[in-house]
Amino acid sequence: MIVILKKGATESQIQAVKDLARDLGLHTENLSQGEDRIVLGIVGNTLSINENTFRTIEVVENVMRVMTPYKLASREMKKENSVVKVDGVKFGTENIVLIAGPCSVESKEQIIESAHAIKESGAQVLRGSIFKPRTSPYEFQGMGLEGLRLLDAAREQTGLPIETEVMDPRQVSQVEESVDMLRVGARNMQNYDLLRQVGKSEKPVILKRGLCATVKEFLLAAEYIMQEGNQNVILCERGIRTFSTDTRFTLDLNVVPLLKGLTHLPIIVDPSHGTGIRELITPMSRAAVACGADGLLIEVHPNPKAAKSDAQQQLTYDHFRQLVVDVEPIAGALGRSLGAKRQTHKSRQKH
Ligand code: PEP
Ligand code: MN
């Protein structure tokens, strides 16, 4: 339910509405608190509650039901785009955020060198998985918490915010102090205990679309996180399973403009996992930006062929640098910027 309060509502009047919601077993989120309008989102089991219950409070101007199954994530609930802040980096503005780094953290040299290289090319967030959801139990499972210290060292040296995947609710408390963002991978999009746990965290969450998830399931997964209190969710399209086996997955760019209409949350695209083929990553990055993505997530490795995971799709430093050069004009044509300012050759030599 959306509750719109009259202009000039005082703190105690706002509190009275929240208290009523709480007494009814519902949860309130401040959706917007401008000079003109204060809008509260009231969620929970609202089906049996009559809107007039809220209308009896003097300060309430209007009450509207949100008809979509997802509430907090829905555009009906919040008209303006949400901006998710990670240190100084903002997702959901005219700047298209570049997240880059290796699939897996493998060694100190690998992650630190990668961090410098991607920063030079304009990346704003360093990615690196320490817990790996591998199809086979015999494949590299990630460095675990030892890798977290290496990510931390890379942030220390470059100042880049860091993100990593959590696969299990217990991993959230192990990593959340050290990272700037949490990532829920495609295979865990419907791991509800994990969603609830990251929902309790203060750290922004990248939520990747499940391999076979519909848009409704995707947004309801975001809703699990948001209804626990964490509104800082970034959706990530990373390809879905289709009949086509020519690419690793089918990057479903349809959902970018579709989601823009359905939700206020930022949407980023991962063409690395979405294609699984190195040569397709730049063209599909351009396409993702053209259809409105708020960010790109790209896997970059010092020596892709020797990577312990996803060797087919990781880019060299030079390839990534060229990708940024090639995608930038598409962002520019839409009045947007891509990544941070690229460093000059001179400043690069300092390392
Ligand atoms: C990843 O980003 O490292 C990853 C495993 O991707 P996904 O969950 O989309 O497969
Ligand atoms: Mn990967």
Side-chain angles (χ1 to χ4, degrees):
M1 242 181 250
I2 299 173
V3 176
I4 301 170
L5 306 188
K6 288 180 187 155
K7 200 172 167 175
T10 63
E11 279 306 321
S12 66
Q13 287 173 313
I14 300 171
Q15 195 53 48
V17 179
K18 291 184 177 173
D19 289 347
L20 173 60
R22 197 203 45 226
D23 293 346
L24 295 167
L26 305 171
H27 166 79
T28 311
E29 282 294 333
N30 289 345
L31 293 179
S32 92
Q33 191 149 355
E35 291 228 322
D36 287 352
R37 238 164 68 115
I38 294 169
V39 185
L40 302 176
I42 296 187
V43 287
N45 190 1
T46 55
L47 277 182
S48 57
I49 288 157
N50 190 314
E51 288 103 291
N52 290 333
T53 318
F54 283 94
R55 288 210 176 90
T56 56
I57 303 184
E58 165 54 25
V59 75
V60 171
E61 187 169 278
N62 200 3
V63 183
M64 288 177 293
R65 275 198 187 274
V66 175
M67 301 312 284
T68 47
Y70 39 86
K71 310 288 177 191
L72 292 168
S74 107
R75 184 68 89 178
E76 264 184 71
M77 188 71 108
K78 184 167 181 257
K79 297 268 175 285
E80 314 84 52
N81 287 334
S82 283
V83 174
V84 175
K85 296 194 192 93
V86 181
D87 286 348
V89 181
K90 291 186 190 143
F91 291 78
T93 70
E94 54 73 48
N95 176 247
I96 298 162
V97 179
L98 280 176
I99 304 174
C103 180
S104 305
V105 178
E106 297 173 8
S107 70
K108 187 166 184 187
E109 300 68 45
Q110 177 241 19
I111 193 69
I112 288 181
E113 197 193 286
S114 301
H116 283 297
I118 60 145
K119 186 179 178 187
E120 283 164 11
S121 294
Q124 293 156 289
V125 178
L126 174 68
R127 63 151 285 142
S129 299
I130 59 172
F131 303 117
K132 291 300 304 169
R134 303 307 297 277
T135 304
S136 161
Y138 305 117
E139 289 172 328
F140 177 59
Q141 302 288 306
M143 285 187 82
L145 293 176
E146 194 192 334
L148 192 58
R149 285 194 296 279
L150 307 183
L151 272 174
D152 198 36
R155 176 182 41 199
E156 185 79 23
Q157 286 206 21
T158 59
L160 287 175
I162 54 177
E163 66 84 272
T164 203
E165 175 165 354
V166 279
M167 301 198 300
D168 177 296
R170 290 164 296 188
Q171 290 169 351
V172 178
S173 59
Q174 292 178 325
V175 310
E176 68 183 336
E177 292 279 297
S178 312
V179 298
D180 302 288
M181 303 179 84
L182 299 164
R183 171 165 30 93
V184 174
R187 289 156 191 80
N188 281 301
M189 191 206 80
Q190 287 181 312
N191 178 341
Y192 298 115
D193 285 344
L194 178 63
L195 298 176
R196 283 201 196 90
Q197 197 62 40
V198 298
K200 293 190 177 84
S201 175
E202 310 238 302
K203 296 293 162 80
V205 181
I206 298 171
L207 176 66
K208 298 188 98 178
R209 183 180 179 190
L211 310 188
C212 297
T214 63
V215 162
K216 182 173 150 190
E217 288 161 347
F218 194 12
L219 288 172
L220 282 169
E223 192 77 14
Y224 263 93
I225 301 174
M226 297 173 86
Q227 62 92 35
E228 289 292 342
N230 190 345
Q231 307 303 300
N232 294 316
V233 179
I234 296 160
L235 303 171
C236 179
E237 162 58 32
R238 48 78 68 215
I240 50 170
R241 274 271 154 81
T242 67
F243 67 88
S244 168
T245 49
D246 306 301
T247 51
R248 185 176 179 194
F249 293 95
T250 299
L251 190 65
D252 182 12
L253 292 182
N254 289 353
V255 300
V256 177
L258 189 63
L259 283 166
K260 283 279 167 201
L262 298 174
T263 180
H264 51 87
L265 297 172
I267 301 141
I268 66 170
V269 171
D270 168 3
S272 299
H273 294 87
T275 65
I277 301 173
R278 205 170 282 122
E279 292 69 28
L280 302 190
I281 296 170
T282 296
M284 294 317 288
S285 296
R286 299 183 81 178
V289 167
C291 70
D294 295 308
L296 295 171
L297 187 151
I298 311 280
E299 288 191 338
V300 178
H301 191 282
N303 180 8
K305 290 199 178 89
K308 293 190 175 173
S309 57
D310 288 351
Q312 304 302 315
Q313 70 194 37
Q314 301 209 56
L315 303 186
T316 61
Y317 302 150
D318 284 348
H319 194 151
F320 177 63
R321 191 172 178 74
Q322 191 59 43
L323 176 148
V324 180
V325 171
D326 292 344
V327 177
E328 225 162 29
I330 310 289
L334 296 166
R336 303 184 78 174
S337 58
L338 178 70
K341 218 169 147 21
R342 269 172 281 139
Q343 292 177 0
T344 60
H345 187 60
K346 241 187 185 165
S347 64
R348 252 188 294 153
Q349 282 176 336
K350 282 189 198 149
H351 311 306

